Amino acid sequence: MRCDANTPALGPEQSSDANDTPALTEALAIAGGDSRAGRTTYHTADGNLSPWLQDWAHEVANTRNIPLATVEDLLLKVEYNPTAARLMAPSKGRIKRSWVTYKNRFVDPIRIRSGIEFWKQHRLALEQAEKQYGVPASVIVAIIGVETVYGRQTGDFKVLDALATLGFSYPDNSRPERGELFRNQLADLIDLHHQNKLDARAAYGSYAGAMGLPQFMPGSLMRYAVDGDNDKKIDLYNSMPDIVTSVANFLIMHGWQPELPIFANTTLPAAPEQFVDGGLEAKLSFADLHAEGARLRTTDKQPWQKRPLGVINLVDEPRGTVEYRVATENFYAITQYNRSYFYAASVADLAAELSERMGKSTP
């Protein structure tokens, strides 16, 4: 669930949304607060919260039913992180989209080799998660590989500082909704701290506040993480049952359909570009595509034939090419992890490569 400002999304041509998770429910969202690019001070000269931050602390305490002293104590420890702001700043100039470059970055020899080792080492936990949730082990392994190279790159940013920086000092004043999103993630982090589910003072992750091997933002940790080893806590850094079941649960909660492939085994319809809407939801039927010339590659009945489908485009501007695929609901479930066709297709291709090498069927 990386929050990468340069990750291609929705087409994929736009930068990814910050959390890459559904919006907060109205009851949990924090109404106040603002973001100003260049704001670097959150406290007064005498060491208290700035008045505007004090007001936000009251909003969090009242909305989330958290003692004000708990909120204030954490916010008094917040420091502006210039690196997080710089990494989230808009790119200067338009970056050409390259599916080939993106795929080669993530479906690479290191992730393939390490993915096989990871799968073998944690086979029991992966098999249990696959049995319980219906999400193939290969897909879980691929997501963890793309996110953090199996735990090698979980991030060294203090999450409290990163979220405060992006919530109150987002580097693009034309995107106030981004600051609001990160402020709500900061509220989630404080909420998790209050619930004793993590220590917000010691949490480290990406420059956008994503944590653990699966890179869950605080809101996703709160809503979708699972205590897979039944020890009454969730550890997305060290507990493999917690890690793999949380990834599987996230996908199920976002529409994963057990027994469906990620891509439909069919030829493309004529002029496939007419079916690409750039969205994150399957809206077509096989009858729609069949009427335009799509054909099954097998005579066997396929379960996806009765399910919604979508046509996606994987654009490579430097090479002047576009690769089209027919995607099932499972592809779109992966896009909820990161709102990017490139991302979801890379996960799918890495999973397929891992499956082949492990002697498993392609997801």
Side-chain angles (χ1 to χ4, degrees):
M1 208 157 309
R2 296 169 302 107
C3 178
D4 184 344
N6 295 320
T7 299
L10 299 183
E13 68 278 352
Q14 305 170 24
S15 60
S16 66
D17 285 341
N19 185 31
D20 294 325
T21 59
L24 295 173
T25 61
E26 187 175 348
L28 291 175
I30 306 301
D34 70 346
S35 175
R36 298 179 187 177
R39 174 191 276 161
T40 61
T41 303
Y42 305 139
H43 310 124
T44 61
D46 57 0
N48 294 315
L49 297 181
S50 293
W52 57 268
L53 188 54
Q54 184 68 59
D55 290 343
W56 190 80
H58 278 280
E59 289 279 356
V60 173
N62 292 334
T63 303
R64 301 294 183 95
N65 196 27
I66 302 171
L68 179 61
T70 299
V71 181
E72 291 175 331
D73 178 64
L74 291 175
L75 293 179
L76 282 169
K77 294 177 172 59
V78 161
E79 295 182 3
Y80 175 77
N81 189 310
T83 305
R86 177 177 58 81
L87 291 172
M88 192 58 75
S91 301
K92 294 182 179 179
R94 183 177 177 277
I95 298 175
K96 289 187 176 181
R97 298 167 292 165
S98 175
W99 160 236
V100 174
T101 300
Y102 189 98
K103 177 179 176 178
N104 288 343
R105 177 184 171 192
F106 293 108
V107 188
D108 64 314
I110 292 176
R111 282 179 173 81
I112 294 169
R113 181 174 63 252
S114 299
I116 296 300
E117 295 172 358
F118 181 89
W119 193 336
K120 291 178 178 178
Q121 181 179 357
H122 303 292
R123 185 188 299 269
L124 186 60
L126 288 162
E127 288 178 348
Q128 179 59 37
E130 180 172 343
K131 180 180 179 181
Q132 181 177 355
Y133 291 93
V135 178
S138 61
V139 173
I140 300 172
V141 175
I143 284 177
I144 296 171
V146 169
E147 292 292 335
T148 60
V149 197
Y150 312 104
R152 297 180 192 176
Q153 300 173 0
T154 57
D156 56 4
F157 288 80
K158 189 175 180 181
V159 174
L160 193 63
D161 291 347
L163 292 176
T165 297
L166 299 177
F168 300 117
S169 312
Y170 193 80
D172 183 355
N173 286 331
S174 70
R175 300 290 304 279
E177 76 283 358
R178 301 276 280 182
E180 181 181 10
L181 189 151
F182 281 109
R183 289 194 297 277
N184 278 313
Q185 289 296 320
L186 178 59
D188 284 340
L189 182 73
I190 295 170
D191 207 338
L192 288 165
H193 178 90
H194 172 60
Q195 295 176 39
N196 243 359
K197 293 183 177 179
L198 55 71
D199 185 349
R201 299 163 299 186
Y204 283 81
S206 75
Y207 67 87
M211 296 174 284
L213 271 70
Q215 291 289 274
F216 271 28
M217 294 293 284
S220 289
L221 198 158
M222 179 181 290
R223 295 165 183 79
Y224 309 116
V226 175
D227 177 14
D229 54 14
N230 298 311
D231 66 351
K232 308 301 181 185
K233 60 183 180 180
I234 296 174
D235 182 353
L236 298 184
Y237 291 89
N238 304 296
S239 170
M240 199 51 58
D242 291 2
I243 292 165
V244 300
T245 54
S246 293
V247 172
N249 185 58
F250 181 94
L251 292 176
I252 285 291
M253 295 296 289
H254 288 86
W256 183 274
Q257 300 293 318
E259 307 303 326
L260 283 189
I262 297 173
F263 296 113
N265 188 18
T266 178
T267 61
L268 287 162
E273 65 275 7
Q274 67 180 305
F275 294 101
V276 178
D277 62 12
L280 302 178
E281 182 181 352
K283 299 178 181 179
L284 301 170
S285 69
F286 183 64
D288 296 329
L289 301 178
H290 188 271
E292 295 295 328
R295 295 292 182 267
L296 293 174
R297 290 198 178 103
T298 174
T299 57
D300 298 333
K301 292 291 184 180
Q302 302 294 314
W304 53 260
Q305 287 180 252
K306 297 182 179 181
R307 305 293 305 180
L309 301 169
V311 176
I312 65 163
N313 60 336
L314 303 172
V315 177
D316 199 296
E317 291 181 309
R319 295 169 176 82
T321 62
V322 183
E323 180 181 342
Y324 295 95
R325 302 186 190 185
V326 178
T328 72
E329 292 158 285
N330 288 350
F331 175 87
Y332 293 98
I334 299 172
T335 66
Q336 298 306 308
Y337 212 103
N338 183 303
R339 300 184 177 205
S340 161
Y341 286 178
F342 282 10
Y343 175 88
S346 292
V347 167
D349 288 359
L350 179 56
E353 185 70 30
L354 294 171
S355 292
E356 181 178 348
R357 298 189 182 217
M358 289 290 288
K360 304 288 185 178
S361 58
T362 300

PDB file of all heavy atoms in Angstrom, residues 271-287:
ATOM      1  N   ALA A 271     -10.653  -3.315 -31.527  1.00  0.00           N
ATOM      2  CA  ALA A 271     -10.492  -1.949 -31.009  1.00  0.00           C
ATOM      3  C   ALA A 271     -10.660  -1.923 -29.489  1.00  0.00           C
ATOM      4  O   ALA A 271     -11.569  -1.278 -28.958  1.00  0.00           O
ATOM      5  CB  ALA A 271     -11.486  -1.007 -31.674  1.00  0.00           C
ATOM      6  N   PRO A 272      -9.791  -2.622 -28.742  1.00  0.00           N
ATOM      7  CA  PRO A 272      -9.960  -2.726 -27.289  1.00  0.00           C
ATOM      8  C   PRO A 272      -9.917  -1.389 -26.571  1.00  0.00           C
ATOM      9  O   PRO A 272     -10.489  -1.248 -25.481  1.00  0.00           O
ATOM     10  CB  PRO A 272      -8.788  -3.612 -26.865  1.00  0.00           C
ATOM     11  CG  PRO A 272      -7.772  -3.481 -27.956  1.00  0.00           C
ATOM     12  CD  PRO A 272      -8.574  -3.313 -29.205  1.00  0.00           C
ATOM     13  N   GLU A 273      -9.286  -0.382 -27.176  1.00  0.00           N
ATOM     14  CA  GLU A 273      -9.174   0.911 -26.504  1.00  0.00           C
ATOM     15  C   GLU A 273     -10.533   1.533 -26.201  1.00  0.00           C
ATOM     16  O   GLU A 273     -10.683   2.311 -25.257  1.00  0.00           O
ATOM     17  CB  GLU A 273      -8.337   1.880 -27.346  1.00  0.00           C
ATOM     18  CG  GLU A 273      -8.925   2.274 -28.683  1.00  0.00           C
ATOM     19  CD  GLU A 273      -8.613   1.283 -29.801  1.00  0.00           C
ATOM     20  OE1 GLU A 273      -8.049   0.198 -29.520  1.00  0.00           O
ATOM     21  OE2 GLU A 273      -8.945   1.589 -30.964  1.00  0.00           O
ATOM     22  N   GLN A 274     -11.569   1.157 -26.973  1.00  0.00           N
ATOM     23  CA  GLN A 274     -12.889   1.739 -26.747  1.00  0.00           C
ATOM     24  C   GLN A 274     -13.498   1.283 -25.417  1.00  0.00           C
ATOM     25  O   GLN A 274     -14.433   1.907 -24.911  1.00  0.00           O
ATOM     26  CB  GLN A 274     -13.826   1.360 -27.893  1.00  0.00           C
ATOM     27  CG  GLN A 274     -14.168  -0.125 -27.964  1.00  0.00           C
ATOM     28  CD  GLN A 274     -15.104  -0.474 -29.097  1.00  0.00           C
ATOM     29  OE1 GLN A 274     -16.184   0.091 -29.207  1.00  0.00           O
ATOM     30  NE2 GLN A 274     -14.669  -1.389 -29.970  1.00  0.00           N
ATOM     31  N   PHE A 275     -12.970   0.186 -24.868  1.00  0.00           N
ATOM     32  CA  PHE A 275     -13.512  -0.344 -23.624  1.00  0.00           C
ATOM     33  C   PHE A 275     -12.741   0.114 -22.390  1.00  0.00           C
ATOM     34  O   PHE A 275     -13.126  -0.191 -21.261  1.00  0.00           O
ATOM     35  CB  PHE A 275     -13.521  -1.873 -23.665  1.00  0.00           C
ATOM     36  CG  PHE A 275     -14.455  -2.439 -24.703  1.00  0.00           C
ATOM     37  CD1 PHE A 275     -13.971  -2.909 -25.912  1.00  0.00           C
ATOM     38  CD2 PHE A 275     -15.819  -2.471 -24.478  1.00  0.00           C
ATOM     39  CE1 PHE A 275     -14.823  -3.422 -26.870  1.00  0.00           C
ATOM     40  CE2 PHE A 275     -16.688  -2.984 -25.430  1.00  0.00           C
ATOM     41  CZ  PHE A 275     -16.192  -3.458 -26.636  1.00  0.00           C
ATOM     42  N   VAL A 276     -11.651   0.819 -22.569  1.00  0.00           N
ATOM     43  CA  VAL A 276     -10.834   1.264 -21.439  1.00  0.00           C
ATOM     44  C   VAL A 276     -11.418   2.557 -20.878  1.00  0.00           C
ATOM     45  O   VAL A 276     -11.498   3.563 -21.577  1.00  0.00           O
ATOM     46  CB  VAL A 276      -9.370   1.497 -21.866  1.00  0.00           C
ATOM     47  CG1 VAL A 276      -8.551   2.005 -20.688  1.00  0.00           C
ATOM     48  CG2 VAL A 276      -8.770   0.224 -22.434  1.00  0.00           C
ATOM     49  N   ASP A 277     -11.835   2.526 -19.600  1.00  0.00           N
ATOM     50  CA  ASP A 277     -12.373   3.747 -19.002  1.00  0.00           C
ATOM     51  C   ASP A 277     -11.452   4.318 -17.925  1.00  0.00           C
ATOM     52  O   ASP A 277     -11.741   5.370 -17.357  1.00  0.00           O
ATOM     53  CB  ASP A 277     -13.775   3.517 -18.428  1.00  0.00           C
ATOM     54  CG  ASP A 277     -13.799   2.488 -17.296  1.00  0.00           C
ATOM     55  OD1 ASP A 277     -12.724   2.112 -16.784  1.00  0.00           O
ATOM     56  OD2 ASP A 277     -14.910   2.070 -16.902  1.00  0.00           O
ATOM     57  N   GLY A 278     -10.336   3.627 -17.659  1.00  0.00           N
ATOM     58  CA  GLY A 278      -9.393   4.138 -16.674  1.00  0.00           C
ATOM     59  C   GLY A 278      -9.843   4.014 -15.245  1.00  0.00           C
ATOM     60  O   GLY A 278      -9.182   4.504 -14.330  1.00  0.00           O
ATOM     61  N   GLY A 279     -10.967   3.354 -15.009  1.00  0.00           N
ATOM     62  CA  GLY A 279     -11.509   3.258 -13.655  1.00  0.00           C
ATOM     63  C   GLY A 279     -10.984   2.067 -12.874  1.00  0.00           C
ATOM     64  O   GLY A 279     -10.155   1.292 -13.350  1.00  0.00           O
ATOM     65  N   LEU A 280     -11.488   1.932 -11.663  1.00  0.00           N
ATOM     66  CA  LEU A 280     -11.044   0.884 -10.760  1.00  0.00           C
ATOM     67  C   LEU A 280     -12.171  -0.085 -10.431  1.00  0.00           C
ATOM     68  O   LEU A 280     -12.243  -0.620  -9.331  1.00  0.00           O
ATOM     69  CB  LEU A 280     -10.486   1.507  -9.467  1.00  0.00           C
ATOM     70  CG  LEU A 280      -9.333   2.488  -9.665  1.00  0.00           C
ATOM     71  CD1 LEU A 280      -8.908   3.074  -8.330  1.00  0.00           C
ATOM     72  CD2 LEU A 280      -8.153   1.802 -10.341  1.00  0.00           C
ATOM     73  N   GLU A 281     -13.035  -0.309 -11.411  1.00  0.00           N
ATOM     74  CA  GLU A 281     -14.172  -1.207 -11.204  1.00  0.00           C
ATOM     75  C   GLU A 281     -14.494  -1.920 -12.508  1.00  0.00           C
ATOM     76  O   GLU A 281     -14.481  -1.314 -13.585  1.00  0.00           O
ATOM     77  CB  GLU A 281     -15.386  -0.398 -10.726  1.00  0.00           C
ATOM     78  CG  GLU A 281     -16.613  -1.218 -10.428  1.00  0.00           C
ATOM     79  CD  GLU A 281     -17.791  -0.370  -9.988  1.00  0.00           C
ATOM     80  OE1 GLU A 281     -17.605   0.836  -9.773  1.00  0.00           O
ATOM     81  OE2 GLU A 281     -18.901  -0.921  -9.877  1.00  0.00           O
ATOM     82  N   ALA A 282     -14.768  -3.229 -12.415  1.00  0.00           N
ATOM     83  CA  ALA A 282     -15.152  -4.006 -13.596  1.00  0.00           C
ATOM     84  C   ALA A 282     -16.619  -3.721 -13.921  1.00  0.00           C
ATOM     85  O   ALA A 282     -17.493  -3.929 -13.077  1.00  0.00           O
ATOM     86  CB  ALA A 282     -14.939  -5.493 -13.330  1.00  0.00           C
ATOM     87  N   LYS A 283     -16.874  -3.271 -15.152  1.00  0.00           N
ATOM     88  CA  LYS A 283     -18.238  -2.865 -15.499  1.00  0.00           C
ATOM     89  C   LYS A 283     -18.785  -3.562 -16.740  1.00  0.00           C
ATOM     90  O   LYS A 283     -19.959  -3.400 -17.074  1.00  0.00           O
ATOM     91  CB  LYS A 283     -18.278  -1.348 -15.731  1.00  0.00           C
ATOM     92  CG  LYS A 283     -17.894  -0.521 -14.515  1.00  0.00           C
ATOM     93  CD  LYS A 283     -17.908   0.962 -14.847  1.00  0.00           C
ATOM     94  CE  LYS A 283     -17.514   1.814 -13.654  1.00  0.00           C
ATOM     95  NZ  LYS A 283     -17.496   3.260 -13.992  1.00  0.00           N
ATOM     96  N   LEU A 284     -17.954  -4.325 -17.432  1.00  0.00           N
ATOM     97  CA  LEU A 284     -18.378  -4.965 -18.669  1.00  0.00           C
ATOM     98  C   LEU A 284     -18.803  -6.410 -18.423  1.00  0.00           C
ATOM     99  O   LEU A 284     -18.498  -6.991 -17.384  1.00  0.00           O
ATOM    100  CB  LEU A 284     -17.241  -4.938 -19.686  1.00  0.00           C
ATOM    101  CG  LEU A 284     -16.699  -3.565 -20.085  1.00  0.00           C
ATOM    102  CD1 LEU A 284     -15.434  -3.719 -20.901  1.00  0.00           C
ATOM    103  CD2 LEU A 284     -17.754  -2.788 -20.868  1.00  0.00           C
ATOM    104  N   SER A 285     -19.467  -6.990 -19.399  1.00  0.00           N
ATOM    105  CA  SER A 285     -19.787  -8.417 -19.367  1.00  0.00           C
ATOM    106  C   SER A 285     -19.052  -9.092 -20.521  1.00  0.00           C
ATOM    107  O   SER A 285     -18.648  -8.437 -21.489  1.00  0.00           O
ATOM    108  CB  SER A 285     -21.290  -8.642 -19.510  1.00  0.00           C
ATOM    109  OG  SER A 285     -21.720  -8.300 -20.823  1.00  0.00           O
ATOM    110  N   PHE A 286     -18.903 -10.399 -20.415  1.00  0.00           N
ATOM    111  CA  PHE A 286     -18.261 -11.107 -21.516  1.00  0.00           C
ATOM    112  C   PHE A 286     -19.115 -11.016 -22.773  1.00  0.00           C
ATOM    113  O   PHE A 286     -18.594 -10.987 -23.897  1.00  0.00           O
ATOM    114  CB  PHE A 286     -18.013 -12.572 -21.161  1.00  0.00           C
ATOM    115  CG  PHE A 286     -17.298 -13.313 -22.253  1.00  0.00           C
ATOM    116  CD1 PHE A 286     -16.005 -12.965 -22.613  1.00  0.00           C
ATOM    117  CD2 PHE A 286     -17.921 -14.351 -22.937  1.00  0.00           C
ATOM    118  CE1 PHE A 286     -15.350 -13.637 -23.647  1.00  0.00           C
ATOM    119  CE2 PHE A 286     -17.273 -15.022 -23.961  1.00  0.00           C
ATOM    120  CZ  PHE A 286     -15.976 -14.667 -24.311  1.00  0.00           C
ATOM    121  N   ALA A 287     -20.429 -10.935 -22.592  1.00  0.00           N
ATOM    122  CA  ALA A 287     -21.313 -10.781 -23.755  1.00  0.00           C
ATOM    123  C   ALA A 287     -20.987  -9.482 -24.503  1.00  0.00           C
ATOM    124  O   ALA A 287     -20.996  -9.452 -25.743  1.00  0.00           O
ATOM    125  CB  ALA A 287     -22.771 -10.782 -23.312  1.00  0.00           C
TER     126      ALA A 287
END
